[in-house]
Amino acid sequence: MKIAVVGVGLIGGSMMLKLRQRALASYVFGIDKNERHLQEALQLNIIDEAADLEKGIENADLIIIAIPVDSTRVLLPEILDKISENQTVMDVGSTKSGITEAIKTHKKRNRFVAFHPMWGTENSGPKSASADSFSGRAAVICDKEDSAPDALKTVEKIAEYLEMNLLYMTAEDHDIHTAYISHISHITSYALANTVLEKEREEDTIFQLASSGFSSTVRLAKSHPEMWVPIFKQNKENVLDVLNEHITQLRKFKSALEKENYDLLEQLILNANRIRPILENKS
Amino acid sequence: MKIAVVGVGLIGGSMMLKLRQRALASYVFGIDKNERHLQEALQLNIIDEAADLEKGIENADLIIIAIPVDSTRVLLPEILDKISENQTVMDVGSTKSGITEAIKTHKKRNRFVAFHPMWGTENSGPKSASADSFSGRAAVICDKEDSAPDALKTVEKIAEYLEMNLLYMTAEDHDIHTAYISHISHITSYALANTVLEKEREEDTIFQLASSGFSSTVRLAKSHPEMWVPIFKQNKENVLDVLNEHITQLRKFKSALEKENYDLLEQLILNANRIRPILENKS
């Protein structure tokens, strides 16, 4: 399968490494506005050839869009305009309603498959890519009935070769679930970093005392705004809904402490502890 | 050196594994209310002998208190009552002012050294212990001028054999810094778990979709209340101070989203990104 990957960063790069390793990708055209990233992707054997979008579309069986979700929303209709009925387009974005809405009435809507691999790190660029990042993780396909059967099959094959566990849901449900499970974690982490930077003016002390717990909780705060502002923008309503709930939950801790109600504090913590068997899938 | 360790859990257990491996501990008396933990500690070679407090105090050069901070506050004066002028007592707790306050006027105050190794996990018990947990991490000694020079030297040697980077500060400063760097992370993580459990009623969905980012941010929410309620209680004022700031920071994200002020949102994220070079100690 010939693939054109638009965006040779962390996600696009990691996918290509795996799909080339497993010989599903016979040839990869890399497309990126960032010339340095293209050169790095060539050196790292992520792509065979640095190309422009036209050449990629002309030659690829599958076009993978792996750029921030606001750019995807603009680029996807243009790509659909240009492809044939034999080609498939997929994205890898963290929000789905905005993107599917943008092509709802496009006459080649059925050549697109909305795909979201649930993996990422706080790093970016082809140098952060690694082949086995996706193995064993969840991937979501949204609104599968809006895609042509052969296009769907192509993307399911990609998920299989990436060794991901595939789930199906509507774009709307996807955006609700990711607000809870992924997007709020980033806001929490950003806000925690800003809290510590505001309160702890001695940067040396932060570095010296940072425990593994702090580093773990604040890790996502290193993530770039180019990726995350568009996600929050496209998933605004759901993110606000869960952010309000999060502030309410924090206020419960505040109130328990202020009132020295340590029984309530214990109850709040015991309730939070319920996340352990769920994450480890034990009842 | 003969050591009596009161509490053979994650922290006490990990310390003993390392100090025995490096042959600083010639004999270890394990003291614990939990009989199962004592048996596990014997099997795991964490201790030589399960003992009661009296036997430990009678025979050890160094007594290490590795139990929740509220119990330490009660037990420490009792231990100081019973020891000789040749013995040293240290704790490993995450708050310090409450403990040092409790023995401020004790006539053997100078036999105690307030110690805090900045490491922990969301797990507990001797089975979670591992020898190299502390290597390369920070440890704090508080109010060192209140300890006798030989007692201080003993604890500095422990830190050296644990391969930790030693810092010195007052108990008061310690409790302020740990509120920022450690305690708030736990509250954030607990509140995030409660948020997701409240909003996402389908536990299977949480398990299936949980990304590495979510797992990382919510990891600390698995930590037990027996350890953390006493910490929040003893560090109430500092924790409330930083918790208020954290809610303020989250409200900024909320406001930026509500007003669709994506420039402000970007600024908030860029500010949070400053945590990366600080944690990696690059300017």
Side-chain angles (χ1 to χ4, degrees), chain A residues 177 188 200 236 260 276, chain B residues 122 177 188 200 236 260:
Chain A
H177 290 310
T188 302
E200 178 63 89
K236 192 187 84 167
E260 304 193 344
R276 181 193 285 264
Chain B
E122 69 279 20
H177 291 309
T188 303
E200 178 63 90
K236 192 188 84 165
E260 304 194 342

Side-chain angles (χ1 to χ4, degrees), chain A residues 8 12-13 16-17 20 28 40-42 44-48 126 129:
Chain A
V8 296
M16 290 312 103
L17 284 175
R20 282 160 70 87
V28 175
E40 286 171 5
L42 278 169
L44 294 163
N45 272 315
I46 287 171
I47 59 175
D48 291 288

Side-chain angles (χ1 to χ4, degrees), chain B residues 86-104:
Chain B
N86 300 319
Q87 291 175 293
T88 299
V89 185
M90 67 190 283
D91 80 323
V92 296
S94 191
T95 56
K96 288 292 178 257
S97 299
I99 285 160
T100 52
E101 188 64 26
I103 54 161
K104 202 170 57 170

Side-chain angles (χ1 to χ4, degrees), chain B:
Chain B
M1 188 188 308
K2 288 184 197 159
I3 299 178
V5 60
V6 185
V8 296
L10 175 70
I11 302 298
S14 296
M15 288 175 77
M16 289 312 103
L17 283 176
K18 185 71 172 183
L19 298 179
R20 282 160 70 88
Q21 195 182 80
R22 297 202 57 191
L24 184 66
S26 59
Y27 198 86
V28 176
F29 299 91
I31 297 143
D32 208 305
K33 283 192 301 190
N34 186 323
E35 189 59 40
R36 185 169 55 80
H37 279 186
L38 277 178
Q39 292 310 314
E40 286 172 5
L42 277 168
Q43 280 158 19
L44 293 163
N45 272 314
I46 287 171
I47 59 175
D48 291 289
E49 180 181 335
D52 58 18
L53 186 59
E54 281 58 42
K55 185 163 187 188
I57 291 177
E58 215 164 284
N59 290 281
D61 305 301
L62 172 67
I63 297 136
I64 301 177
I65 308 177
I67 55 180
V69 291
D70 54 341
S71 305
T72 300
R73 196 168 175 169
V74 174
L75 192 63
L76 177 56
E78 297 175 17
I79 291 178
L80 286 180
D81 288 344
K82 293 175 187 163
I83 61 163
S84 77
E85 288 293 340
N86 300 319
Q87 291 175 293
T88 299
V89 185
M90 67 190 283
D91 80 323
V92 296
S94 191
T95 56
K96 288 292 178 257
S97 299
I99 285 160
T100 52
E101 188 64 26
I103 54 161
K104 202 170 57 170
T105 58
H106 197 288
K107 65 183 196 300
K108 283 182 231 150
R109 166 65 183 88
N110 70 346
R111 301 313 308 163
F112 173 71
V113 181
F115 182 75
H116 181 203
M118 300 288 288
W119 176 83
T121 76
E122 69 279 20
N123 300 313
S124 56
K127 285 185 176 170
S128 308
S130 66
D132 289 319
S133 305
F134 299 106
S135 296
R137 304 206 177 267
V140 181
I141 286 180
C142 295
D143 299 340
K144 69 171 176 172
E145 59 288 349
D146 293 339
S147 301
D150 70 299
L152 185 62
K153 208 168 271 180
T154 298
V155 175
E156 286 170 336
K157 197 166 184 178
I158 296 289
E160 183 196 326
Y161 275 73
L162 293 175
E163 297 163 3
M164 304 196 81
N165 306 318
L166 207 43
L167 300 163
Y168 300 87
M169 57 184 76
T170 64
E172 198 182 340
D173 280 350
H174 168 275
D175 286 4
I176 294 172
H177 291 309
T178 51
Y180 302 156
I181 305 288
S182 165
H183 303 170
I184 188 67
S185 297
H186 283 79
I187 290 188
T188 303
S189 200
Y190 287 132
L192 180 64
N194 286 344
T195 302
V196 172
L197 290 165
E198 181 64 31
K199 298 296 287 184
E200 178 63 90
R201 297 300 185 141
E202 298 162 39
E203 298 190 352
D204 275 355
T205 311
I206 300 177
F207 171 71
Q208 287 166 337
L209 290 183
S211 59
S212 52
F214 177 71
S215 303
S216 168
T217 320
V218 90
R219 180 172 69 81
L220 300 180
K222 302 172 182 175
S223 307
H224 288 187
E226 303 89 76
M227 174 169 171
W228 282 95
V229 170
I231 290 173
F232 297 140
K233 191 172 173 179
Q234 287 197 15
N235 207 14
K236 192 188 84 165
E237 295 303 332
N238 291 319
V239 169
L240 269 176
D241 183 37
V242 64
L243 181 52
N244 280 324
E245 178 64 31
H246 187 49
I247 292 172
T248 302
Q249 292 294 339
L250 279 169
R251 288 178 159 281
K252 289 186 188 175
F253 279 87
K254 183 184 163 183
S255 169
L257 267 174
E258 278 175 343
K259 294 180 182 152
E260 304 194 342
N261 185 345
Y262 297 111
D263 290 336
L264 173 58
L265 192 59
E266 185 182 3
Q267 286 309 311
L268 292 171
I269 292 177
L270 284 172
N271 190 62
N273 287 168
R274 292 197 295 125
I275 203 73
R276 181 193 286 262
I278 294 172
L279 287 178
E280 295 165 2
N281 205 20
K282 294 170 194 161
S283 57

